[in-house]
Every structure is written in C-alpha cells, then in structure tokens.
Amino acid sequence: MKRKVLVTLNLTKDCLDRLAGECEIDVNAHDRPMDRNVFLERIAGKDGLLPSITDKVDAEAMERAPSLKMIANFGVGFNNIDVTAATARGIPVSNTPGVLTDATADVAFALILAVNRRVVEGDRMVREGRFLFWAPFHFLGSEVSGKVLGIVGMGRIGQAVARRARGFDMPILYSGRTRLAPADEAALGASFRPFPDLLAEADIVSLHVPLTPETHHLIDREALGRMKPSAVLINTARGPVVDEKALVAAIRAGTIAGAGLDVYEDEPCLAPGLVELENVVLLPHVGSGTWETRTKMADMAVTNLLAGLRGERPPNLVNPEVWK
Ligand code: NAP
C-alpha cells in the first residue's frame, strides 16, 4: 500500500510526480499557508509530511498522525518544527541546507546596499514626483565600500555574505558560537569578536543565526544600545532574533541609523510604527525566493521525504540521534 503524504505547499509538477510515483499525496495547491485547523485535520493518518516554514509542526500535530515516519521541511531553518517532540517519537526531520545560501546572501547584500544608499526611499521620491533637482549635498546616503561589516553567525549564509563583502573592501568581523579555523578566517578575511565588541565596532550588523531559545531576542534594547548611532541592522535570519518593538524604538530615537529586514517577529504582521520609518527597507521574506533556488529546495525536500519513507537515511537529517 502507498504511503500517505501531506504536502502543505505548492510544489513543481516534477516534484509532485516524483512523490505520486511512490505515495498517495494530499497537496495544498494554493499559494497560501494552510489554516491551522485544516492542517491538523489533514495531517491525520499521514505517514509523511512536507511542511512549509510557516506550519507549526508541534507535538499536537504529531499526535494527530501516530503513523508519521518522516518530516521533510521546505527550508533550512527548522524552528517551526518541535524537533525534540519528533525525536522522542523516533521521527526523522530534514531541512534544505546549502541550495539557498547564495540567494539569501544576495538578499542580505541587497538590503545592505538599499538601506545605506536609500534605494527604496529614492524610488518612492522619483515615483511621487518629488525628484525636482540635483544638488551636491541633497539626499545623501552612507558609503558601503570600506565600511566594517559585522556578521553574527558565520555559517553557510554568513560566509557567503562575507565573500560578497570582500568585493566591497569591507573589513569583516564575526561573532558566533563556534570560531572558524584560522585558515578559514584568513580565506574570508574575517576576524572574530565577542558579540558585544562586534556590535560596538560594526557599521553594518548582519544576522545569520538560526532561531533557537538562545538566539531569541539576541538583538534587544541593550544590544541595539551598544551599536553605533550611524550603524544599520540587517536581518535575513528569523524575525524573533530581533526584538522588533525595541528596534522601532531604537530607530525612532536615533540609537541606530536604520534597518533592512526580510523577516519579522510575528510574520506577516509588523511591529507598530515600523512601516512609518523611512530609513528601513522591508522585504516579504524572500531570502531564498528565486525560481532556481526554490526549485532546488523542493527537489531536496522530496528526496529527503522519499528516503525517510523508504526507511533510508534522509540526506539532510537534522536529528541524527533517531538513526542509531
Ligand atoms: P548554518 O550554516 O547552520 O549557520 C548558522 C550559524 O549560526 C552557525 O555558524 C552557527 O554556529 C551559528 N549559531 C547557531 N546558534 C548560535 C548561537 N546561539 N549563538 C551564536 N551563533 C550561533 O545555517 P545557514 O544555512 O547559514 O542559515 C542560517 C539561518 O538563516 C537559518 O537557520 C534560517 O533561519 C535563516 N534563513 C533565512 C532565509 C530567508 O528567507 N530569509 C533563507 C535561508 C535561511 P555553529 O557552527 O556553532 O552551529
């Protein structure tokens, strides 16, 4: 009998065909997240789950599907899944690392340039007919080349941002849980700093840590207070890494100069006052949002799901302890 699988997001035809070859599939074909109650109803009786990062896959969801054998997340970040609850039930969980590294680093760099050179604000000015003259000291931004970049979380995406920054002659500082090997630091031209020192020295602070209990509100009022008044914050990691209300207050007060955000604390809702700030650039969580990358992510998630359902080790297992 074919395994029953719930796919909570729309995938490419190729991917759906691959799944349908081995499984009975229930797909949310709409380009909208599944409502929680519908998700809980439709996960019942399933053997496999391919969720979106917007689906909360918690113990309640797992209890609805006692035969669940594999959860293959569509995304590298898996904070939407209670991995501890899955591991306790012996359910392998996988993610999609690597294939989205460059796309996400590109968006981080797009935000760095957009905030510092006022790209979006300038676009609004031109469209609204407010571009009336050129003058040498009018509508100035802040130079990016040569500025100190502080990378928080020097993993795959953090390193890809560092490689881009080298082309802009930016001194690169990084902080994180693990220090890179000296040869890797030298190859990236990056110097390690304790987190508080990085905040104080960087002109641009770019976040690339996963969302975990340890990184929740890593950037809070105190951290913002350590940054230079001329510095900007870039977040392409996960919204709750930043205390968004504290960020709005810090930008209003001039504690920091601006921010570029791809992710939000309570997506898709924004903290009160955020949209009124001219010196922030806001994107709708599109770090991995290129056709090429999303296609690769879909393919990878399907490969992981099928492997787990066949009883083979999924290539991108995040809880290897279930495989002992
Ligand atoms: P990664 O390779 O695992 O890198 C994460 C880095 O953060 C690692 O260097 C890790 O250190 C460090 N880290 C983990 N916990 C930490 C802590 N408590 N304090 C300080 N540093 C810590 O992951 P990645 O592929 O670069 O992805 C990073 C995150 O980006 C994902 O988890 C996801 O949430 C987010 N993301 C967002 C988008 C988007 O659309 N905006 C797209 C892709 C990814 P260790 O080496 O010690 O583990």
Side-chain angles (χ1 to χ4, degrees), residues 181-248:
D184 294 332
E185 283 189 357
L188 290 166
S191 308
F192 183 82
R193 290 285 189 282
F195 181 55
D197 296 1
L198 175 141
L199 293 174
E201 285 182 56
D203 297 304
I204 296 153
V205 173
S206 192
L207 305 176
H208 302 288
V209 288
L211 174 60
T212 64
E214 293 75 40
T215 63
H216 182 266
H217 283 194
L218 185 68
I219 301 291
D220 56 7
R221 197 164 78 96
E222 191 193 332
L224 290 159
R226 287 183 191 276
M227 290 172 64
K228 295 180 185 176
S230 57
V232 304
L233 178 74
I234 305 296
N235 188 10
T236 59
R238 283 287 183 266
V241 174
V242 176
D243 178 343
E244 207 169 287
K245 287 199 186 99
L247 175 67
V248 171

Side-chain angles (χ1 to χ4, degrees), residues 282-303:
L282 306 172
L283 290 177
H285 199 152
V286 289
S288 65
T290 66
W291 177 252
E292 296 90 330
T293 291
R294 290 275 166 87
T295 306
K296 286 180 200 157
M297 288 167 69
D299 211 47
M300 204 169 190
V302 168
T303 298

Side-chain angles (χ1 to χ4, degrees), residues 100-115:
L100 41 56
T101 296
D102 283 324
T104 311
D106 288 348
V107 162
F109 231 88
L111 287 171
I112 290 172
L113 290 167
V115 176

